[in-house]
Amino acid sequence: MTVSFLELVWVLPMMGSAMSLLAGSRWRRATSLLSISLIGISALLAAFGLAVAWSSGFRVLHFSVGWFTVAGKAVGVGVMLDGLSAVLSTAVSLISFLISAYSYSYMAEDEGIGRYWFFFDYFVGSMLMLVLASNLVLLLVGWEGTTLSSYALIGHWYTDEEDRWVGDKGRRALGVPMWSTPSSSAVRAMVFTSFADIGFMIGVGMLYGAAGTFSLLAISKEMPVILDRLQAQGLLIPFLLLFSMGAFAKSAQFPFHEWLVTAMTGPTSVSALIHAATMVNAGVYFMLRFMPMFLSGASADGLTSSILPFFLYVALIGAFTAFMMASQAMVSNELKLILAYSTSSQLGYMFLAVGLAPFTQPSLALFAALSHLLSQALFKAALFLAAGALIHAFSSRYIKDMGRAWAGMKATALAFALASLSLAGIPPLSGFWDKDLILDLAYKAGIWGAYGLGLAGAFFTSFYAFRAFMLIFFGPKEGHRVGIRVHEPSAWMLLPYAALSGLTLAYGVIWPGENGAASLLYGLVSKDSPAPLAVFQISFSPLLIALSLGIAIAGLALAVFAYAGRRELNTSSLAASKVISSFLYDRWLINSLYYRVIVDGFDWLSKAFERFESQGFDRAYNAWLPSAFVNASRKVRKLQGKGSITTYLAAMFAGALILLLIYMLLVIYP
Amino acid sequence: MIPTPVVASLFLLGALVALLPALGRILKGASSYVVQGVMLLVALAWAALFLDGLPLIRGTGWFRVDALSAVVSMTAASVGFLVASSSRRLRNAWQFQLVLSSGVLGTVMLASSADPLILLVSWGLISVSGYSLLALAGDRSSLVGSIKYAFMSALSFQLLMVAIYLMFAGSGNPRLVALGAMLFLVALGFKAGIPPFHMWLPDVYGFAEPVSVSGLSAIMKLGALALAIRLTEQTVLAVGQPEGHVVVLVLVLLSAGSMLIGNLGALTQDDVQRMMAYSSIAQVGYVLMGISAFDAALAYGQPHVAYEALLGTFLFIPSYALSKAGIFSMLAGFKGRAGTGVQALAGSKAPESVSTSVILLNLLGMPPLLGFWAKLLVFEAAASSAIPVFYALGFPWYALYGIANSAISVFYYLKVLRAVYSSGKVEADHFHLRVAELGSAALLVLAGLIVPLLVL
């Protein structure tokens, strides 16, 4: 069966994008409804694609139309349908559809609504393009499309009003401002991800150089040869590091995580889109797409031991990011900021899972990453959309200004609670299964550092999730802004996140078991995908489950105990805890160090060059050189004297003597 | 047997010189038309030779008809044609035209001969014509210039006689021939204004009547340069090593000094006439570069480079002469009025502006003008051979040095151009000056377009 209809999955949102641009903000409702419905159709088509993949027994299906030819090889605008792309495109388009429906009401009053839908649909289209792309060039186009649209959407409120900022105005760490305006956040996102994309593009170039093709399927088949060549040139590890650099930045892994934090200046629906459906998942998709190829290629070559350091690096970076970002989320006061830290942290778990692949059962580790991607997408979308409703209801982005939301927003509270339970890893929600699988694998792989960091991160996670929950819904109401009325939002807004938390619950409930979601998903992504995986067997160790579950419950209980009944956690009595708290609040000072070392360093360097240029080159060209010539010219003219014949004679005889001297030296006495 | 164009030139110019006193009294200023007619005939007589093809340079004989004598004679006659037009501006026009014609006659003779007697006679004729041209202008600066020039001319003529004696009477002794060549180069240095023998030149060219200077700079140098080509060629071919190399080396040094002194002297000059005086020194430096590349290629046995260098030199001579005739005629219009400062040229009328632009760009060596092809060939000859003295540390320093000098000259030529096109008020030139300016510019454009078709 031809899968040409899959091109429409990303073309439709692109069309919605173009039409929004044409319609502008004039017909607000029509533009919104058109954009939403095109994403909806795209979601239906993607679901149909999933069914097609299912019915065709998960063969890899291809469709391509010609685009251009490079060095005799055609590069097409092509789609590739296998388990991974089918599942992800369905999830991405479905969640995007729910978020877009939410935006209908959430952004209804916004002045830049045409621009919003233009970039929103472009964002969704780019993400679907990169997920479905059958070659690296198209993948790269979609990849950079998400960079561009994330830049535009993070800076949507580019007029920089103070209530659109993120962080506390006036707070500085090491002299560096810890708040960010929408316009500067947008640039930060662009700079962080584009910088890393340079590595990605170099990697693409190296891959093309070794494989001679951009086609994913061909690359997958050629992988043993490619890895062999790279190994022979001693470029294997550098290649892997460079090639995956873009994915690390997209998924906000240390040291590229800073952009995601300040990206909170965008509309909340955009945050949900970035965190659940599009941007950050691109990095995980990239890892899930290429790491199996590297693993099977390396094992065919007997190079597995050569690529182990890279995977260890992925695992440790992932675990470290999971731990670090969860620790920062514990002290934050801004609801969206907490969720942002949480996303980066959860992505850390996915990277940890990917990194564990060669150390345990590879297919199981990769499956764990994919499953956690889906869980995270569902509960994080629900959390963000609910957060948008809360921020709107309380007219504040600070959780301490909320409190007592339970009274007016019971449905929101339920949805938020379900999603938070999943985030905290409480059974039977999906977050529990994935996270425990990942920790289980880390333990079995014997990478104790990663396991320890992951376990500590899990404790932090359930703590910050319920700290926020308790403060918002049962906390003191003293912080309320004047004149607010706590109320449920419109159905346009409420239904999407209610649906998402419902999906979270459903996914968790049907996850285990012989015919559960997990085994279906596993079958889907393992069979006949470009790199086949081994048979699925999940065996949780009861002791480990007890440990991680205990830790999750302990975190949850501590949060409930500490924040229930209006009690505030008083940390100011201990000097050490104050230091730690502000260290965490200032994001481990990493942001400040970036500015102090990199930005100020380059600033210093550029000033030094400028000085060198103006004092050296400029002066030489504009002062020294001309004055040297002017002086020489004056000297020449001074030779003339007053034009007396005696001067002429003297010069003439001197010249004649010189000629005779030359003659004597070279002819008579050579 | 004396060749036809030489006979025709001698007869025509001789008759003109003899008849001019009578013609001048009868026709007054209109005698210039007769002079121009004769100049045209002389130029045509030499041009006709090209129809049959000519050797570039021919060995021995009293009078030699080759491309060298043809190019120099045609150039002298053409410039004579243009200067004769400007001369109508002067009070004693026919006397000036008489002296001009005798100068052209001397140049034709000198260009086509390397016979010692004819050489001395024609050199003398040119010298006398030169200081007479200056004296006839009648103003104080020109008279002072005339006396200085006459004095220096007499001195250099002594040196020339010794040089000729050594070169021709020493027959065969390479050391004596080379010594003669050294002394000849001193005499040439005076005549053509090559540092350090140039000291008189900025004072005379820079202050005297520009019409006289146009004749002096554009005609009276040409014979000496032609003779330099012939004599150094003979010397290099006759003497062998190391004497031949010494001649080449001295030519290179003279050329390098000429370019540098000329360009540096002109760089900060704000008076266009004095700037053009220095520019003449620089231009002769490029001609010497061509001659030295030619001689070097002969000495090191590289005939194709020699051909290229000689061709470049042949193009450089008319390029230089026509430019100078035109620019000094243009300056003659300013001399009595606003002066020849750069700013005085502001607001020139369209014909003057265009011809001045063409002339200055030609001196700079801009395509498609004649000066471009000349510079191209000369620099290429200096760079394309494997002649050791032109290379240092693997770099063709001589050609690069020439290019660097051209770069310096951009600054002062464009300074004049900028002034010409900035706003101001200048009266249109006297018609007869305009003929000289526009004529030289037109010839430069025409030659620039035709030459590459003929010789490249």
Side-chain angles (χ1 to χ4, degrees):
Chain A
M1 166 158 192
T2 174
V3 288
S4 56
F5 68 90
L6 277 179
E7 301 263 21
L8 284 178
V9 171
W10 62 263
V11 168
L12 285 176
M14 291 291 192
M15 278 168 58
S17 170
M19 287 178 192
S20 308
L21 188 66
L22 293 176
S25 304
R26 231 170 306 159
W27 302 292
R28 315 173 66 85
R29 276 163 189 280
T31 308
S32 306
L33 287 173
L34 183 75
S35 303
I36 295 165
S37 51
L38 284 172
I39 296 177
I41 300 169
S42 157
L44 287 176
L45 285 172
F48 183 59
L50 184 59
V52 168
W54 194 300
S55 66
S56 65
F58 312 115
R59 280 185 299 110
V60 179
L61 297 171
H62 252 295
F63 175 78
S64 188
V65 293
W67 184 13
F68 64 88
T69 307
V70 54
K73 295 217 164 59
V75 175
V77 180
V79 287
M80 181 177 77
L81 186 71
D82 65 350
L84 182 62
S85 62
V87 169
L88 265 182
S89 61
T90 308
V92 166
S93 53
L94 179 65
I95 295 171
S96 299
F97 170 68
L98 291 173
I99 296 170
S100 68
Y102 175 90
S103 304
Y104 178 77
S105 170
Y106 187 76
M107 298 298 286
E109 305 300 320
D110 198 87
E111 299 210 340
I113 187 82
R115 184 161 43 90
Y116 177 81
W117 285 117
F118 170 60
F119 282 112
F120 191 101
D121 278 28
Y122 179 53
F123 206 166
V124 175
S126 297
M127 181 68 191
L128 289 167
M129 181 200 273
L130 90 85
V131 168
L132 288 167
S134 68
N135 60 62
L136 272 172
V137 177
L138 200 61
L139 193 152
L140 202 59
V141 172
W143 187 272
E144 293 306 331
T146 62
T147 304
L148 179 64
S149 41
S150 68
Y151 156 80
L153 288 169
I154 291 166
H156 180 73
W157 288 315
Y158 61 89
T159 43
D160 292 349
E161 283 86 9
E162 198 174 328
D163 55 339
R164 311 295 192 199
W165 293 7
V166 66
D168 302 342
K169 184 187 181 188
R171 188 183 176 98
R172 286 166 189 275
L174 304 181
V176 175
M178 292 304 288
W179 70 93
S180 182
T181 60
S183 53
S184 83
S185 297
V187 173
R188 276 166 60 104
M190 183 76 117
V191 168
F192 271 100
T193 52
S194 298
F195 172 75
D197 284 348
I198 296 168
F200 179 29
M201 283 186 215
I202 295 171
V204 168
M206 291 168 84
L207 200 54
Y208 179 77
T213 174
F214 286 116
S215 158
L216 291 180
L217 208 60
I219 287 173
S220 164
K221 282 183 188 131
E222 293 282 311
M223 196 47 88
V225 181
I226 296 168
L227 293 182
D228 213 34
R229 266 185 210 161
L230 289 168
Q231 173 73 5
Q233 293 165 318
L235 290 174
L236 188 53
I237 293 293
F239 162 73
L240 290 170
L241 289 174
L242 282 171
F243 188 54
S244 59
M245 205 161 119
F248 275 75
K250 272 270 189 287
S251 294
Q253 296 300 292
F254 176 81
F256 304 112
H257 61 282
E258 270 292 329
W259 72 266
L260 191 67
V261 179
T262 47
M264 288 304 107
T265 54
T268 307
S269 49
V270 168
S271 306
L273 194 67
I274 290 177
H275 287 242
T278 52
M279 189 83 169
V280 298
N281 289 346
V284 183
Y285 165 76
F286 174 92
M287 300 303 272
L288 290 175
R289 173 59 74 203
F290 289 100
M291 293 309 132
M293 296 186 196
F294 294 140
L295 285 172
S296 58
S299 75
D301 279 343
L303 284 175
T304 308
S305 62
S306 305
I307 62 170
L308 282 184
F310 170 73
F311 279 89
L312 185 61
Y313 156 82
V314 174
L316 289 176
I317 288 284
F320 177 70
T321 308
F323 172 80
M324 176 179 74
M325 298 309 270
S327 76
Q328 296 179 10
M330 289 195 299
V331 298
S332 178
N333 279 328
E334 287 177 56
L335 178 51
K336 285 175 70 180
L337 214 45
I338 294 173
L339 298 178
Y341 292 134
S342 159
T343 302
S344 183
S345 168
Q346 296 301 307
L347 289 160
Y349 283 107
M350 296 172 213
F351 273 67
L352 167 60
V354 170
L356 291 172
F359 300 99
T360 56
Q361 292 160 274
S363 49
L364 200 53
L366 294 169
F367 159 75
L370 173 65
S371 178
H372 198 52
L373 188 158
L374 294 176
S375 304
Q376 205 272 150
L378 290 172
F379 67 66
K380 193 52 61 65
L383 285 172
F384 263 114
L385 297 184
L390 287 164
I391 290 169
H392 190 69
F394 287 95
S395 299
S396 169
R397 60 181 194 268
Y398 295 102
I399 47 176
K400 295 210 163 140
D401 292 350
M402 296 179 180
R404 283 298 164 88
W406 171 251
M409 302 174 77
K410 292 196 172 56
T412 304
L414 277 175
F416 200 94
L418 269 175
S420 297
L421 283 169
S422 185
L423 170 62
I426 305 297
L429 289 132
S430 58
F432 163 75
W433 302 111
D434 313 323
K435 195 181 291 173
D436 274 64
L437 180 56
I438 293 167
L439 290 175
D440 196 271
L441 289 168
Y443 180 85
K444 283 173 185 157
I447 303 172
W448 306 115
Y451 179 70
L453 288 171
L455 207 57
F459 175 75
F460 293 164
T461 304
S462 60
F463 177 81
Y464 71 68
F466 279 89
R467 169 177 174 264
F469 179 78
M470 292 307 288
L471 280 174
I472 293 167
F473 292 99
F474 300 101
K477 57 191 274 186
E478 281 76 45
H480 285 193
R481 296 270 164 94
V482 183
I484 57 154
R485 194 176 59 82
V486 181
H487 61 285
E488 292 287 6
S490 68
W492 277 100
M493 282 168 69
L494 182 60
L495 283 178
Y497 61 79
L500 284 163
S501 58
L503 284 171
T504 300
L505 180 63
Y507 182 51
V509 170
I510 62 167
W511 198 84
E514 200 131 309
N515 289 313
S519 27
L520 291 177
L521 192 61
Y522 184 86
L524 201 70
V525 295
S526 63
K527 203 170 179 187
D528 256 12
S529 68
L533 303 175
V535 178
F536 177 42
Q537 282 176 312
I538 301 181
S539 56
F540 287 108
S541 147
L543 192 68
L544 293 177
I545 287 208
L547 185 59
S548 66
L549 187 58
I551 269 189
I553 290 174
L556 194 159
L558 182 62
V560 171
F561 169 74
Y563 291 100
R566 305 181 196 178
R567 263 200 288 169
E568 187 54 49
L569 201 60
N570 191 357
T571 52
S572 56
S573 57
L574 279 171
S577 80
K578 206 175 167 188
V579 170
I580 292 172
S581 159
S582 61
F583 174 70
L584 296 179
Y585 200 86
D586 292 332
R587 315 206 287 261
W588 287 38
L589 298 178
I590 289 171
N591 185 55
S592 306
L593 287 174
Y594 282 171
Y595 278 88
R596 277 277 166 262
V597 176
I598 298 173
V599 178
D600 291 359
F602 271 99
D603 200 43
W604 178 86
L605 203 63
S606 105
K607 288 214 173 77
F609 275 128
E610 197 266 337
R611 257 199 313 281
F612 179 64
E613 203 270 324
S614 65
Q615 304 295 312
F617 282 115
D618 260 13
R619 190 163 286 185
Y621 278 125
N622 296 324
W624 295 341
L625 199 65
S627 69
F629 273 94
V630 166
N631 287 338
S633 173
R634 295 230 171 93
K635 290 237 165 65
V636 165
R637 282 163 48 196
K638 251 188 200 147
L639 282 179
Q640 286 307 119
K642 284 181 183 149
S644 74
I645 281 191
T646 46
T647 326
Y648 302 173
L649 283 178
M652 188 159 176
F653 278 106
L657 283 176
I658 291 169
L659 291 202
L660 290 177
L661 200 64
I662 293 172
Y663 168 81
M664 283 169 70
L665 283 178
L666 296 177
V667 176
I668 312 287
Y669 314 107
Chain B
M1 173 78 196
I2 301 175
T4 326
V6 179
V7 175
S9 306
L10 289 178
F11 178 75
L12 282 167
L13 289 168
L16 180 66
V17 171
L19 289 174
L20 258 175
L23 286 173
R25 288 197 180 86
I26 300 163
L27 297 173
K28 309 286 181 215
S31 60
S32 72
Y33 297 129
V34 180
V35 175
Q36 285 176 321
V38 170
M39 293 295 175
L40 204 58
L41 286 175
V42 171
L44 287 175
W46 285 96
L49 288 175
F50 282 102
L51 295 177
D52 293 335
L54 272 181
L56 282 188
I57 186 161
R58 175 174 285 170
T60 51
W62 259 23
F63 286 103
R64 305 167 200 184
V65 175
D66 50 17
L68 173 58
S69 54
V71 165
V72 172
S73 302
M74 278 167 64
T75 307
S78 313
V79 173
F81 179 93
L82 298 172
V83 176
S85 179
S86 333
S87 74
R88 294 190 62 164
R89 186 174 172 276
L90 301 173
R91 251 183 302 115
N92 33 15
W94 70 259
Q95 291 93 329
F96 185 92
Q97 288 156 11
L98 189 152
V99 175
L100 183 73
S101 305
S102 66
V104 173
L105 178 59
T107 304
V108 170
M109 285 164 67
L110 193 51
S112 46
S113 177
D115 179 82
L117 270 179
I118 296 168
L119 189 160
L120 287 173
V121 168
S122 48
W123 185 288
L125 186 56
I126 293 169
S127 296
V128 173
S129 307
Y131 42 80
S132 304
L133 272 187
L134 285 168
L136 279 170
D139 61 301
R140 200 185 132 76
S141 304
S142 302
L143 284 174
V144 171
S146 172
I147 292 165
K148 287 177 175 172
Y149 187 66
F151 180 84
M152 298 302 289
S153 199
L155 192 65
S156 74
F157 195 67
Q158 316 292 321
L159 282 173
L160 181 74
M161 285 200 285
V162 179
I164 296 302
Y165 175 77
L166 288 172
M167 291 175 87
F168 288 86
S171 61
N173 184 340
R175 287 188 172 185
L176 287 183
V177 173
L179 184 61
M182 291 294 126
L183 292 177
F184 167 72
L185 288 176
V186 175
L188 173 77
F190 155 76
K191 193 86 192 164
I194 300 162
F197 316 108
H198 71 295
M199 300 296 259
W200 61 274
L201 194 144
D203 294 334
V204 173
Y205 283 20
F207 292 90
E209 163 61 42
V211 175
S212 304
V213 176
S214 72
L216 195 61
S217 65
I219 299 175
M220 307 306 168
K221 271 184 191 177
L222 305 185
L225 290 173
L227 186 64
I229 298 173
R230 285 200 199 284
L231 285 187
T232 56
E233 185 222 12
Q234 281 181 14
T235 308
V236 167
L237 288 181
V239 298
Q241 315 313 339
E243 289 82 358
H245 287 177
V246 173
V247 173
V248 171
L249 180 68
V250 170
L251 276 171
V252 168
L253 291 176
L254 290 175
S255 151
S258 212
M259 286 187 264
L260 188 66
I261 298 287
N263 281 319
L264 281 183
L267 188 59
T268 50
Q269 226 1 309
D270 285 325
D271 184 289
V272 182
Q273 191 179 349
R274 269 157 256 171
M275 183 193 288
M276 288 305 136
Y278 278 108
S279 144
S280 297
I281 298 176
Q283 292 286 317
V284 168
Y286 299 124
V287 176
L288 283 184
M289 187 187 223
I291 298 176
S292 62
F294 169 61
D295 289 338
L298 288 178
Y300 288 90
Q302 292 179 313
H304 62 285
V305 180
Y307 175 81
E308 194 174 45
L310 200 55
L311 208 55
T313 312
F314 285 1
L315 297 182
F316 228 114
I317 288 171
S319 154
Y320 160 79
L322 289 168
S323 302
K324 290 294 159 180
I327 201 81
F328 280 112
S329 295
M330 190 271 286
L331 290 169
F334 286 92
K335 188 72 173 178
R337 299 190 294 210
T340 51
V342 171
Q343 286 316 312
L345 272 61
S348 296
K349 296 278 179 294
E352 285 88 340
S353 306
V354 170
S355 54
T356 307
S357 312
V358 168
I359 290 164
L360 292 177
L361 293 175
N362 181 71
L363 287 171
L364 195 51
M366 281 288 159
L369 302 167
L370 184 59
F372 165 73
W373 303 111
K375 256 189 191 170
L376 182 71
L377 285 170
V378 166
F379 287 172
E380 207 172 85
S384 67
S385 62
I387 298 166
V389 71
F390 295 165
Y391 280 80
L393 308 171
F395 281 100
W397 73 269
Y398 197 28
L400 291 178
Y401 180 86
I403 290 167
N405 269 285
S406 283
I408 298 175
S409 70
V410 173
F411 289 91
Y412 61 85
Y413 288 134
L414 291 195
K415 187 161 76 179
V416 178
L417 264 192
R418 189 181 61 183
V420 166
Y421 287 102
S422 53
S423 61
K425 195 163 159 43
V426 170
E427 290 167 50
D429 264 351
H430 192 274
F431 172 78
H432 296 288
L433 290 179
R434 220 188 245 188
V435 168
E437 283 166 55
L438 289 174
S440 65
L443 284 173
L444 288 172
V445 173
L446 206 65
L449 293 175
I450 292 172
V451 157
L453 301 179
L454 292 182
V455 302
L456 294 183

